[in-house]
Amino acid sequence: MRVKTSITLPDDLLKRIDRADSNRSALIERATRAYLARLERAAQESKDVAIINANAERLNREAKDVLQYQGLP
């Protein structure tokens, strides 16, 4: 479902939007979806890094053990 809305943008940004695409709504929708996807990826990556960091010592010990088992330094 589409909902009509009104937003206020700086004049220079509106001119850039118009140069990029004659359909303002479509461009703003694509840009917003891309931006939100980037925010969601960044949040997930941040959570992943926190999990890795919380388990880093154990993971490093396991990796070292595997390397030693394989006869590698």
Side-chain angles (χ1 to χ4, degrees), residues 53-65:
N53 287 339
N55 294 285
E57 283 188 33
R58 180 183 55 81
L59 294 170
N60 286 336
R61 279 193 313 270
E62 289 178 14
K64 186 176 180 180
D65 185 50

Side-chain angles (χ1 to χ4, degrees), residues 6-40:
S6 176
I7 60 171
T8 303
L9 299 172
D11 185 57
D12 63 313
L13 180 57
L14 192 58
K15 288 177 184 175
R16 290 174 64 191
I17 289 170
D18 289 341
R19 282 194 301 269
D21 194 326
S22 61
N23 185 337
R24 289 178 181 169
S25 293
L27 184 130
I28 292 170
E29 179 180 351
R30 287 192 312 272
T32 303
R33 287 183 187 280
Y35 179 72
L36 292 174
R38 188 170 5 134
L39 288 179
E40 290 163 359

